[in-house]
Amino acid sequence: MFVLIALITFSTANFAQSSKFKVVLDAGHGGRDIGATYHGYAEKDIALNVTLKVGKILMKHSNIEVIYTRDSDVFVELNKRASIANKNNASIFVSIHCNANVNTAAEGYETYVMGMHRNASNLEVAKFENEVVTLEKDYKFKYNGYDPKSPESAIGTTLMQEEYMDNSIALASRVQNGLATNFGRKDRRVKQAGFLVLREIYMPRILIEMGFISNKREGAYMNSEEGQNEMANGIANAIISYKNEFYGSGGGSNDPIEKPTPKTPEKVEPIVEKVVVPESKPTKPTEVDTNENQSKGIVFKVQIAASGKNLELTPSNFKGLNNISMISENGTLYKYMYGNASNYNDAKKDLAEAKAKGFEGAYIIAFKDGKKINLQEALK
């Protein structure tokens, strides 16, 4: 039972009690770790340039704080990057990279969330990015015997953790939309893989592969000032959009802010390779409370978990909490809620109880006649 609870964990943003939205920007590689090199282009340089440009855009917003894992050409160990994010209690972690492939015709941009490798190409991307650990002293000891050339080690980094998965996918989907340009590059969509740099981070976290440096045309684009400005603007705008939708456009609040409906629909399959962002833009399916005893009118609940598994709504699956209900997105991502309060003050008591049980990332959401609505709308 402990394993079951550990597997589902809880998926939500780190709504820190801070007046600022903290963004950790991680420029991949650096120093003696060059990363991928093709056609005279070096991944570490492109990643750093774009990262600094993203940070410069974000710092124009007084309610956003930017923290770099590196802001110059230096080598930073993977566990140090995670430590920087965790110690600063950041809101999100964004790692920026360039992709590469022996097939120099491969092209396009993709964004990864922490998860299982569901095909060989995802596994190879993760193995390549993880090879940097061999430059660290005692890396097998620090990373529990990790061998970057072993598929078993790469798969073992994930352990099917789904904490913050919901929010990571929402952020990654926005990045994919933001990286779409008139240059005509291929959208390779949101994927899952076991990156060491993401493994120990306790907040929504993503790794962006901006394009293939091995592709001569795409490498030239990423190495150009114009290309870097376009990519930086796309990533920064995605982060700002995510912040505004999850945290509001103001400076912050002590009350949790409800996750609004994203502008672009997201289909999330249980622990699979892709999160499909459709070419067309149909309306996202309405999230409906499946509780047979759902109340009419405005109801407040506390979202405590999200999982690719359809779990029985028994207290033993939720650390002893009763009165659990569930909503589902297309029958693939299941969101579990505690409580059924008719007023916001009672909902805050339910929130405190859920956090006391260990669901530290829990937050309040609202329904009207069984359909999920924006929390601010419910409080009017």
Side-chain angles (χ1 to χ4, degrees):
M1 192 55 62
F2 172 79
V3 174
L4 178 59
I5 294 172
L7 289 179
I8 66 165
T9 61
F10 42 89
S11 172
T12 180
N14 180 18
F15 294 108
Q17 306 302 311
S18 169
S19 60
K20 289 196 174 185
F21 180 77
K22 294 183 180 180
V23 180
V24 172
L25 295 178
D26 174 51
H29 307 281
R32 64 182 184 272
D33 173 23
I34 302 173
T37 56
Y38 281 84
H39 314 299
Y41 311 133
E43 179 182 2
K44 69 172 185 176
D45 297 331
I46 295 174
L48 179 60
N49 290 342
V50 174
T51 298
L52 294 177
K53 289 176 183 291
V54 172
K56 187 175 181 180
I57 296 169
L58 295 178
M59 285 188 284
K60 293 178 182 179
H61 297 257
S62 60
N63 53 13
I64 296 179
E65 178 180 348
V66 174
I67 301 161
Y68 297 108
T69 59
R70 71 178 182 99
D71 57 9
S72 61
D73 186 18
V74 295
F75 177 75
V76 182
E77 297 181 351
L78 295 183
N79 61 348
K80 178 69 179 297
R81 297 171 192 251
S83 178
I84 290 171
N86 293 331
K87 286 182 178 179
N88 282 281
N89 196 26
S91 306
I92 60 172
F93 178 90
V94 178
S95 190
I96 297 176
H97 292 253
C98 301
N99 216 335
N101 196 293
V102 292
N103 174 16
T104 57
E107 64 176 342
Y109 51 93
E110 56 197 21
T111 305
Y112 284 87
V113 298
M114 186 66 184
M116 294 293 286
H117 329 276
R118 281 302 176 182
N119 65 26
S121 62
N122 287 18
L123 177 60
E124 289 307 312
V125 171
K127 284 170 63 179
F128 177 80
E129 297 294 359
N130 291 344
E131 277 186 359
V132 61
V133 297
T134 62
L135 299 178
E136 300 180 24
K137 185 179 180 180
D138 300 326
Y139 74 89
K140 287 190 176 181
F141 174 77
K142 285 194 294 185
Y143 298 98
N144 299 319
Y146 180 82
D147 177 1
K149 297 187 181 300
S150 164
E152 290 77 14
S153 285
I155 292 171
T157 63
T158 64
L159 296 180
M160 306 226 2
Q161 294 177 354
E162 295 179 27
E163 190 168 6
Y164 307 113
M165 179 68 76
D166 195 13
N167 297 83
S168 297
I169 288 169
L171 176 58
S173 297
R174 285 163 173 78
V175 168
Q176 284 300 110
N177 291 339
L179 287 176
T181 67
N182 293 327
F183 188 69
R185 300 196 300 142
K186 181 180 179 180
D187 180 355
R188 298 173 65 93
R189 306 187 185 278
V190 177
K191 301 180 179 181
Q192 294 181 348
F195 293 98
L196 281 176
V197 71
L198 301 182
R199 182 178 67 169
E200 300 298 333
I201 294 173
Y202 305 113
M203 64 201 63
R205 67 271 202 211
I206 62 173
L207 187 145
I208 304 168
E209 297 283 6
M210 298 180 291
F212 282 81
I213 199 171
S214 49
N215 181 302
K216 194 169 185 178
R217 174 177 175 266
E218 196 161 57
Y221 168 80
M222 292 191 294
N223 197 57
S224 70
E225 185 75 12
E226 179 182 0
Q228 290 176 8
N229 286 336
E230 282 189 356
M231 292 185 296
N233 272 296
I235 294 169
N237 288 336
I239 291 171
I240 293 167
S241 170
Y242 173 89
K243 181 252 177 207
N244 289 344
E245 298 234 14
F246 279 71
Y247 287 74
S249 58
S253 170
N254 286 332
D255 287 329
I257 297 175
E258 195 262 347
K259 173 191 169 185
T261 302
K263 292 182 177 64
T264 301
E266 303 151 12
K267 179 182 177 183
V268 186
E269 299 180 6
I271 313 302
V272 295
E273 173 203 352
K274 295 181 180 179
V275 177
V276 178
V277 181
E279 297 295 331
S280 59
K281 295 186 177 181
T283 304
K284 180 181 178 181
T286 303
E287 293 180 314
V288 179
D289 186 357
T290 59
N291 186 351
E292 295 179 358
N293 299 316
Q294 60 184 253
S295 304
K296 297 295 183 181
I298 302 294
V299 172
F300 299 96
K301 299 187 177 222
V302 177
Q303 183 169 321
I304 59 172
S307 175
K309 303 174 182 63
N310 186 359
L311 300 168
E312 291 187 18
L313 305 182
T314 57
S316 58
N317 282 339
F318 300 94
K319 303 183 181 181
L321 289 176
N322 289 291
N323 197 12
I324 301 295
S325 54
M326 178 267 289
I327 54 178
S328 174
E329 292 180 355
N330 299 321
T332 56
L333 183 69
Y334 302 93
K335 300 179 182 180
Y336 298 94
M337 304 160 295
Y338 168 62
N340 191 58
S342 59
N343 66 77
Y344 189 59
N345 287 332
D346 286 344
K348 288 198 286 188
K349 294 177 183 178
D350 290 339
L351 176 64
E353 186 176 351
K355 288 188 174 184
K357 287 285 189 179
F359 294 102
E360 288 295 332
Y363 59 101
I364 298 173
I365 59 177
F367 292 85
K368 183 177 181 179
D369 298 331
K371 294 182 179 180
K372 189 177 177 185
I373 61 172
N374 186 283
L375 183 58
Q376 274 64 44
E377 179 184 345
L379 292 174
K380 288 180 181 178

